[in-house]
Amino acid sequence: DAPHTGQGRSGAMEDWARRGDGNGVVANLARRVTAAKQTGGAARKLTIKPFKERPKLPADFEEDSWRMLSNAVDAIHQKRPVSESFETLYRRVEDVCLHKLGAGLYARLRASCESHVRERVATLRGRDGAEDPVAFLNRVDDVWGDHCDATLTIRSVFLYLDRTHVAHQAGGEGVSGANTSAVGTSSRPEGALVADRSSSSSFSVESVRSLWDMGLALFRASLADDTARRGTDGAAPHGDDVLGKATRGLLALVERERGGEAVDRGKVKRLTRAYRALGVYSDRFEKQFLDATRAFYRAEGTSFARNGDVGEYLA
């Protein structure tokens, strides 16, 4: 037998390998040791070959993805429970975008949201024109608040689309969108309503915008359609369209407060911010508000000059 050293064991294995002696395990091990010694112990190289056929998406991947996401969009707008988890929905949006299907997804989402927005705005036209303007404000406030909540929820689901496809198409403008910093502290995102959209061109429904701006564009387009349908002059102070009645309601609340009544200032604040966010503040509220304010103080001054003494008036 060989001495019990590393060299002796190696020599014995080489001898076994040459003679082919030993059982199957020993003979196989001897051959491996001998082969490694002859090649200098170099490691074998692994070669990774590509697939013979490139993996393909299922034929119904896009349709199946939209079916899932469309059900979620409908549920969000209708304030119903969403069947899928938000993580599942987010991952599906990410998969669609990674397979370069973001353009089609954005177009479908816009069409779906447009349908829901038009349906909601239409509910504001279904009452008698003699409805109290202040009571009408409550319905406008509800519709606008629901729209903001739905848009922000949808944006959180489609966030990957908003930050990739939309941002790329809009040249980076879609990344920021609106200021939604107050979303976490209020179900009615007042902080998201301060963007002043003075130019109507920024509200093109067909252009690719951030999902928040898309929601604003759709809401404004629905209001514009209502104005056109009723043949109302957009600058008329007593228009019978949705914005005209809402403006009369806001002015009525302002007049009541000036008369000493307690009013819901939060509602006034939300709706005037909505006017600004939609880009209609100057045309559909500010001028009418200034005219009403001028008339109020003119009447107050005249009344006080007639009934009060000069010293009290000057004080």
Side-chain angles (χ1 to χ4, degrees):
D1 293 337
H4 293 285
T5 64
Q7 184 177 2
R9 285 195 296 272
S10 178
M13 288 186 178
E14 292 177 7
D15 186 48
W16 287 334
R18 285 194 300 270
R19 296 198 315 254
D21 293 340
N23 58 35
V25 176
V26 175
N28 186 41
L29 180 60
R31 294 189 190 97
R32 291 185 179 183
V33 172
T34 302
K37 186 175 181 181
Q38 291 174 352
T39 58
R44 294 183 180 181
K45 294 183 178 180
L46 298 178
T47 302
I48 300 177
K49 297 182 179 180
F51 291 108
K52 293 182 179 180
E53 294 184 3
R54 185 176 181 179
K56 296 181 180 180
L57 281 176
D60 61 344
F61 172 76
E62 188 173 10
E63 292 296 329
D64 182 65
S65 297
W66 174 242
R67 190 178 304 110
M68 175 193 297
L69 295 170
S70 177
N71 290 336
V73 171
D74 292 343
I76 291 170
H77 275 289
Q78 296 167 8
K79 299 199 288 188
R80 294 186 287 104
V82 180
S83 58
E84 302 288 344
S85 69
F86 281 91
E87 181 179 0
T88 299
L89 297 172
Y90 180 91
R91 295 301 179 192
R92 182 56 66 97
V93 172
E94 183 179 16
D95 290 342
V96 172
C97 293
L98 290 176
H99 287 94
K100 303 185 184 304
L101 300 173
L105 179 61
Y106 182 88
R108 289 182 170 187
L109 176 62
R110 180 174 58 197
S112 178
C113 290
E114 181 177 13
S115 175
H116 285 289
V117 170
R118 289 186 180 278
E119 181 179 343
R120 289 291 285 156
V121 172
T123 63
L124 298 174
R125 301 193 297 261
R127 302 291 181 86
D128 185 4
E131 180 181 6
D132 177 49
V134 176
F136 178 74
L137 275 186
N138 293 329
R139 296 200 293 126
V140 175
D141 189 33
D142 289 340
V143 170
W144 172 249
D146 290 344
H147 171 74
C148 292
D149 293 342
T151 301
L152 291 174
T153 303
I154 288 173
R155 183 178 181 271
S156 68
V157 173
F158 290 83
L159 187 60
Y160 194 89
L161 175 71
D162 202 33
R163 291 183 173 178
T164 54
H165 170 74
V166 173
H168 175 72
Q169 294 297 318
E173 296 177 10
V175 177
S176 59
N179 174 19
T180 56
S181 59
V183 174
T185 60
S186 174
S187 60
R188 296 294 170 84
E190 294 184 359
L193 309 183
V194 297
D196 189 1
R197 308 299 185 189
S198 58
S199 173
S200 60
S201 62
S202 66
F203 277 91
S204 173
V205 176
E206 297 302 323
S207 62
V208 177
R209 306 290 298 173
S210 75
L211 297 185
W212 173 258
D213 284 345
M214 180 192 76
L216 291 179
L218 295 176
F219 201 93
R220 172 169 172 160
S222 295
L223 293 176
D225 288 346
D226 174 66
T227 301
R229 181 180 294 106
R230 294 174 182 270
T232 300
D233 179 4
H238 302 294
D240 196 37
D241 60 337
V242 171
L243 285 175
K245 289 191 288 185
T247 298
R248 293 202 301 274
L250 287 171
L251 294 179
L253 286 181
V254 172
E255 183 179 1
R256 289 182 183 182
E257 184 178 47
R258 286 170 174 170
E261 294 185 35
V263 300
D264 186 351
R265 291 187 175 185
K267 183 190 302 179
V268 176
K269 182 178 181 180
R270 286 192 300 271
L271 291 176
T272 52
R273 284 186 168 184
Y275 273 61
R276 288 190 60 197
L278 294 169
V280 298
Y281 181 86
S282 298
D283 294 336
R284 302 306 305 268
F285 179 76
E286 184 178 39
K287 182 179 182 303
Q288 293 86 333
F289 172 72
L290 293 178
D291 289 343
T293 301
R294 193 176 296 110
F296 171 79
Y297 284 108
R298 184 184 298 114
E300 283 288 297
T302 301
S303 174
F304 202 86
R306 289 178 178 176
N307 304 320
D309 58 56
V310 176
E312 186 179 355
Y313 177 77
L314 294 178

